[in-house]
Amino acid sequence: MTAQPLPARAGRVTILGVPVDAITFDDLLATIDTWIRADDGAHQVCTVSPEFVMIAQDDPDFMRVLHEADLCAADGIGLLFAARYLGHPLPERVTGSDGVPIIAERAAREGWSLYLLGAAPGIAERAAEVLTARHPALRIAGSYAGSPAPEEEDQIVERVNASGADILLVAYGAPRQDVWIARNRARLHVHAALGVGGTFDFIAGAIPRAPRWMQKLALEWLFRLIIQPWRWRRMLRLPRFVWGVLRYGKNAAQKETPA
Ligand code: UDP
């Protein structure tokens, strides 16, 4: 495989100051493959949702992490709408929830090993079991809930490194998971580290995912609000995102294209 590292090949759009790479799932897999073959340190992938964009408006550290990540995938139909409105359409939604099963499928074929970090106790283990049942050849290097608390960090990094995992999936929610990866990537021996939000809960079956028809109608947020009503305050970020893009997006939008 001779895939060029992204985002140089694909281009990226900036939405309210946050970079989003114009990639497909195939691009993501090809890029991970390139990183694993290159064996040149831990590369960071962020799955950017409208919520990420709004958190970053008030959190300069998180904004910096997003800018320094190797890849920012568009996790959310809102980003696709925003990018199209801004005149730089993105090819597809590349969510952590769909991406992890796709990565697991490719990992089983290629022999890449995965480490599942985060979520409530038992959930990462259950998600690992579900993925292994789907792909018996899949190598799970480890799974551990842990926590993003700084006092646990050294011990968690040691566990992950001792496991020899190729790919680390971190489910501590945004911005913690992404900041955690950024803080530790220099000493992590994995090739790729991805923040994956609530993905393990979905795979383990602890939280149902919105049906496809709701996802297609851009109503995943409504489904999540119905099953997790306590999230309403966080979800106020969605209308703020829409307003921000309509009001300020065009001034702030840029497209970086390959040289
Ligand atoms: N989570 C965790 N430790 C924390 C905070 C969150 O393990 O300190 C887990 C949580 O159990 C869930 C995941 O992080 O599995 C994603 O959380 P959330 O739903 O907030 O993230 P989102 O899917 O909205 O990114």
Side-chain angles (χ1 to χ4, degrees):
M1 169 121 0
T2 53
Q4 227 188 316
L6 290 162
R9 180 160 59 88
R12 57 177 24 185
V13 58
T14 303
I15 300 177
L16 297 177
V18 173
V20 183
D21 292 305
I23 56 162
T24 62
F25 282 114
D26 284 344
D27 293 326
L28 175 65
L29 291 173
T31 307
I32 291 174
D33 182 74
T34 310
W35 290 338
I36 290 177
R37 284 166 200 270
D39 188 17
D40 59 352
H43 295 266
Q44 179 167 10
V45 180
C46 299
T47 49
V48 176
S49 67
E51 212 180 337
F52 277 53
V53 174
M54 298 321 291
I55 296 170
Q57 304 305 303
D58 306 320
D59 182 341
D61 285 341
F62 185 44
M63 182 66 99
R64 186 181 43 77
V65 166
L66 295 171
H67 277 267
E68 290 177 0
D70 295 273
L71 212 51
C72 287
D75 186 331
I77 200 91
L79 287 177
L80 264 68
F81 285 144
R84 198 191 308 155
Y85 170 76
L86 299 172
H88 309 299
L90 296 167
E92 69 179 334
R93 215 161 65 113
V94 179
T95 64
S97 313
D98 295 315
V100 171
I102 289 173
I103 290 169
E105 193 259 335
R106 175 65 73 89
R109 274 195 281 139
E110 302 280 348
W112 303 338
S113 58
L114 308 184
Y115 197 106
L116 280 62
L117 176 66
I123 296 288
E125 285 79 2
R126 178 76 198 118
E129 282 166 16
V130 170
L131 293 173
T132 316
R134 276 184 216 163
H135 311 290
L138 179 64
R139 289 168 52 214
I140 300 289
S143 46
Y144 181 58
S147 96
E151 56 274 20
E152 285 198 37
E153 213 156 283
D154 292 351
Q155 178 260 118
I156 292 177
V157 170
E158 263 173 46
R159 269 174 189 261
V160 174
N161 286 344
S163 78
D166 295 306
I167 301 172
L168 172 64
L169 308 170
V170 186
Y172 288 142
R176 272 171 294 202
Q177 62 193 15
D178 308 282
V179 174
W180 190 97
I181 293 170
R183 222 175 24 234
N184 292 294
R185 64 190 275 189
R187 58 182 182 150
L188 280 166
H189 298 162
V190 298
H191 303 291
L194 294 79
V196 297
T199 299
F200 300 162
D201 297 302
F202 295 132
I203 295 174
I207 296 175
R209 182 108 192 260
R212 284 278 162 200
W213 68 265
M214 283 187 102
Q215 293 181 36
K216 283 200 178 124
L217 290 176
L219 291 175
E220 196 157 12
W221 63 271
L222 178 61
F223 184 83
R224 250 185 138 179
L225 187 60
I226 292 166
I227 59 161
Q228 297 178 300
W230 61 90
R231 295 171 73 100
W232 71 269
R233 195 181 287 275
R234 286 174 49 174
M235 292 178 78
L236 291 177
R237 293 197 181 105
L238 295 178
R240 283 179 51 218
F241 172 79
V242 174
W243 169 248
V245 170
L246 295 175
R247 178 83 178 75
Y248 304 107
K250 290 224 159 128
N251 297 337
Q254 306 149 15
K255 177 154 194 232
E256 295 166 21
T257 37

